[in-house]
Amino acid sequence: MGIHPKLQSILRKIRDENLRKKVMELLENPVFEADGKTYSGLPLDSSPAGLSHHHSYPGGFIEHVVSSTNIALALCNSVEKIYGGKVNRDIVIAGILLHDLFKPLTYTEKEDGRYDTTKLADYMDHLSLAVSELVRRNFPLELIHVVSAHHGNHGPIKPRTVEALICHLADMADSRLNGEVLNVAAYLVRKVTGEEIPSLTAKEAFEILRSKTLEGLEGVAKTVEKIKRRRTRKA
């Protein structure tokens, strides 16, 4: 399977040809080798980017990378145009593309459509997997730092470059935005129907919030029914 078109579009923004090639090769084949075994995970196109807190639905990984890239580039503009700073955008873009790349290796889909962790995840988390693979493939140290620091205070090292700080803030902002809208929408659905919509997506969640703004709880009820009918047609 080739690289998702949306990831290809982001990849083309990397101006340094050598870095772009290295990132492309990893995106094309995000696997991890240990003890003579090769570990591969869920396809990037359909993988979530989280199990519960954010982007915890099919396609969540791609959405998270695309949205985080938009936020990161906006932060680059602020640093450069407002604060007069300098940013290596190639490192920022590569960092966003790679920061969660090994999450799909730690996820597996169960028969009921829910997600769980893999055996590999019992030994290494996605951040450790990513950093070890970037080191093995001789990626620039500056980029390795961006990936290793993207969890901020909750990771093994805090961001110590402008590029790492931008990637951390972009990742955190998008994760928080996604998680919060899913929580609010899920609350509204429970309040109106007493039920939950399994694997609620952010697009559906924003649709529900918009209906609440326009028509109140009655609008939420209508939107929930519309979402159910739409899912039934796709099944």
Side-chain angles (χ1 to χ4, degrees), residues 53-57 60 63-64 173-183 200-203 205-206:
H53 297 300
H54 69 94
H55 298 90
S56 52
Y57 47 83
E63 284 188 358
H64 178 49
D174 185 57
S175 299
R176 184 71 180 271
L177 171 65
N178 187 277
E180 291 291 344
V181 74
L182 290 177
N183 286 338
L200 183 69
T201 70
K203 290 180 180 178
F206 277 112

Side-chain angles (χ1 to χ4, degrees), residues 10-227:
I10 297 171
L11 182 63
R12 286 194 290 268
K13 296 179 185 293
I14 299 177
R15 295 183 178 183
D16 185 283
E17 185 176 348
N18 290 330
L19 179 60
R20 185 171 65 249
K21 182 179 179 181
K22 290 174 75 72
V23 174
M24 179 182 68
E25 290 173 348
L26 188 49
L27 288 174
E28 287 177 336
N29 191 32
V31 299
F32 183 78
E33 297 179 357
D35 294 335
K37 297 181 181 179
T38 299
Y39 297 89
S40 59
L42 296 174
L44 299 185
D45 293 15
S46 59
S47 176
L51 292 181
S52 58
H53 297 300
H54 69 94
H55 298 90
S56 52
Y57 47 83
F61 174 83
I62 298 294
E63 284 188 358
H64 178 49
V65 172
V66 173
S67 183
S68 295
T69 300
N70 288 342
I71 296 170
L73 292 177
L75 289 172
C76 288
N77 288 336
S78 290
V79 169
E80 293 174 340
K81 297 179 181 180
I82 298 176
Y83 298 114
K86 293 184 178 181
V87 183
N88 185 331
R89 291 186 178 228
D90 281 357
I91 293 295
V92 169
I93 295 167
I96 293 294
L97 282 170
L98 301 179
H99 79 285
D100 276 347
L101 184 62
F102 285 86
K103 271 191 174 182
L105 271 70
T106 66
Y107 299 151
T108 184
E109 187 174 3
K110 299 191 292 186
E111 291 183 1
D112 63 0
R114 298 178 184 273
Y115 296 103
D116 202 351
T117 55
T118 62
K119 186 175 182 179
L120 177 61
D122 291 337
Y123 295 93
M124 295 182 72
D125 65 290
H126 78 279
L127 184 51
S128 301
L129 291 168
V131 170
S132 62
E133 189 64 15
L134 293 179
V135 170
R136 188 183 75 81
R137 292 179 180 237
N138 198 32
F139 272 84
L141 184 59
E142 187 178 6
L143 176 57
I144 296 172
H145 172 66
V146 166
V147 173
S148 64
H150 81 267
H151 284 166
N153 292 334
H154 302 289
I157 189 171
K158 296 179 182 179
R160 293 177 180 171
T161 65
V162 172
E163 293 77 15
L165 180 60
I166 287 173
C167 287
H168 161 58
L169 293 174
D171 171 56
M172 182 174 63
D174 185 57
S175 299
R176 184 71 180 271
L177 171 65
N178 187 277
E180 291 291 344
V181 74
L182 290 177
N183 286 338
V184 173
Y187 164 76
L188 290 173
V189 172
R190 287 194 301 270
K191 184 173 183 178
V192 170
T193 69
E195 303 174 351
E196 291 188 359
I197 298 179
S199 298
L200 183 69
T201 70
K203 290 180 180 178
E204 292 169 337
F206 277 112
E207 187 179 359
I208 290 169
L209 264 65
R210 181 62 177 168
S211 68
K212 170 65 166 58
T213 300
L214 295 176
E215 301 181 66
L217 294 180
E218 183 178 347
V220 172
K222 292 178 182 178
T223 300
V224 169
E225 289 304 314
K226 183 166 64 175
I227 290 172

